[in-house]
Amino acid sequence: MGAWGTGPLDNDAAGDLLDELGEARPEDLPDLLGSKFACVIGVEGGLDSWETEQALAGVALVAYRLAAQRGYPLELDEDLEPIRFEVSEELRHQAEGTARRALMPEDNEWYHLWTLSNGIDEAQAELEPYLRILSA
């Protein structure tokens, strides 16, 4: 049985991404995340739901790491805590752009599916804390 929820870490795509990142070398993490973000902010045509879910999990991870770097009070997340790397300004910018694009309905399967299930407001609310960190 798969995971399903409105949060950016509450789905199978997110779990697969975190597994992939957990097996990668720390120095490779920013490039891996950048490639996931490019599937959302650099795509021509419509956004695929799976790729968007993976990218949004990456957004959550970048925001979590950025908050830790800046010394923000942070609730420990056992899924994100072991994946450590430094967040560059470029990666922060990519993560923020990814979240903002995911929240646009145009040509967006992820957004459309949440709209059909009447969960888009909750999914958007789940992303807000991460966006606040990334845009600060």
Side-chain angles (χ1 to χ4, degrees):
M1 177 172 235
W4 186 82
T6 54
L9 300 170
D10 298 337
N11 56 71
D12 290 337
D16 286 356
L17 175 69
L18 294 180
D19 288 345
E20 180 182 347
L21 295 174
E23 294 171 4
R25 298 179 319 184
E27 61 268 22
D28 294 335
L29 294 175
D31 287 340
L32 283 169
L33 287 164
S35 71
K36 300 299 181 182
F37 298 154
C39 291
V40 173
I41 56 177
V43 71
E44 291 186 28
L47 295 183
D48 175 80
S49 183
W50 182 270
E51 291 175 344
T52 302
E53 288 173 343
Q54 283 208 324
L56 290 174
V59 165
L61 175 59
V62 169
Y64 184 84
R65 293 274 39 110
L66 185 61
Q69 275 176 226
R70 293 179 174 172
Y72 295 161
L74 191 58
E75 184 176 324
L76 186 64
D77 187 309
E78 64 186 40
D79 293 325
L80 301 180
E81 183 59 30
I83 305 171
R84 294 174 176 249
F85 58 95
E86 289 293 313
V87 177
S88 67
E89 182 60 21
E90 178 183 1
L91 192 60
R92 182 208 61 79
H93 182 72
Q94 290 173 333
E96 181 181 7
T98 296
R100 293 196 186 286
R101 173 58 183 104
L103 293 172
M104 294 179 185
E106 297 82 22
D107 293 324
N108 186 337
E109 181 184 33
W110 176 85
Y111 192 98
H112 178 69
L113 292 172
W114 279 119
T115 300
L116 285 176
S117 67
N118 295 317
I120 192 60
D121 291 339
E122 189 175 336
Q124 288 174 319
E126 293 273 1
L127 286 175
E128 284 305 314
Y130 301 107
L131 265 171
R132 277 194 302 275
I133 292 168
L134 294 168
S135 63

